[in-house]
Amino acid sequence: MGCRTGYKDLCGRCVMDKLPGKASGLTGTDIPEYSFVAPDDGRVLADWDGNQIEAAVFNDLLEPAGEQAEVLARYASSYYAGTPALIRNRYGKGEAYYFGGAFAVDTAKVFLDKLGAGTPYGEVLELPECCELAVREKDGRKYLFVLNYASESVKAVVKKELREFFGGEVIKGEVELGAYEVKIFAE
């Protein structure tokens, strides 16, 4: 979750609860103060294990609330420097992450990578950034759809043997996808 989570109810009305509102128990986060990022602030950054991530637009100044809440990142710039910017809260069988800024594209990429969601099929396929991977499952079998959004051919790497759906051949290694081509593999 990011800044402003819990600010409005399901009907879009601002709630009078202290932020993050109804999400406070899940996030393990208290927000004693928040601020809009002023134009003269420049980029507000937070440090997450050496990764500088941008906390854009708004900044929630966070405090952990509860024994399961842990500070993972702190603001590294502006007057917020040193204040918690990211809290992980263990909840039930899972975890909730609350980030005190809006998600800039580069910040979202860091989150996806650090949380293991950036390349969930990285052990199976290595794709260029212009390709999308969609996975579907039917009758216990997985189908991997690789879509090339580029106007030119690109190369992908198939790291374990997969059967090409239409041709039926088993492929492992480098494979070329033509401009805007889609390939479907079966695991």
Side-chain angles (χ1 to χ4, degrees), residues 160-182:
K160 72 177 219 180
E161 288 187 352
L162 297 175
R163 185 166 304 280
E164 202 278 321
F165 186 75
F166 291 112
E169 64 185 289
V170 174
I171 296 176
K172 184 176 180 182
E174 195 170 82
V175 63
E176 185 171 334
L177 285 97
Y180 306 111
E181 184 178 7
V182 175

Side-chain angles (χ1 to χ4, degrees), residues 124-142:
V124 178
L125 291 167
E126 183 179 315
L127 303 175
E129 196 167 310
C130 62
C131 289
E132 175 185 349
L133 172 64
V135 180
R136 302 292 182 264
E137 188 171 336
K138 184 174 182 179
D139 300 326
R141 193 163 187 195
K142 288 186 181 173

Side-chain angles (χ1 to χ4, degrees), residues 44-78:
V44 176
L45 301 174
D47 183 272
W48 185 6
D49 294 332
N51 290 291
Q52 297 294 303
I53 55 176
E54 183 176 4
V57 187
F58 278 97
N59 292 139
D60 291 343
L61 306 181
L62 311 178
E63 289 182 4
E67 293 179 20
Q68 301 299 315
E70 171 187 10
V71 174
L72 296 182
R74 293 182 179 276
Y75 290 105
S77 64
S78 193

Side-chain angles (χ1 to χ4, degrees), residues 1 23-29 48-49 64-72 86-98 114-115:
M1 290 170 249
S24 62
L26 175 64
T27 65
T29 304
W48 185 6
D49 294 332
E67 293 179 20
Q68 301 299 315
E70 171 187 10
V71 174
L72 296 182
L86 173 63
I87 291 178
R88 174 179 58 199
N89 188 48
R90 299 188 193 289
Y91 190 88
K93 294 180 181 177
E95 300 172 330
Y97 291 78
Y98 190 97
K114 287 182 97 30
L115 300 179

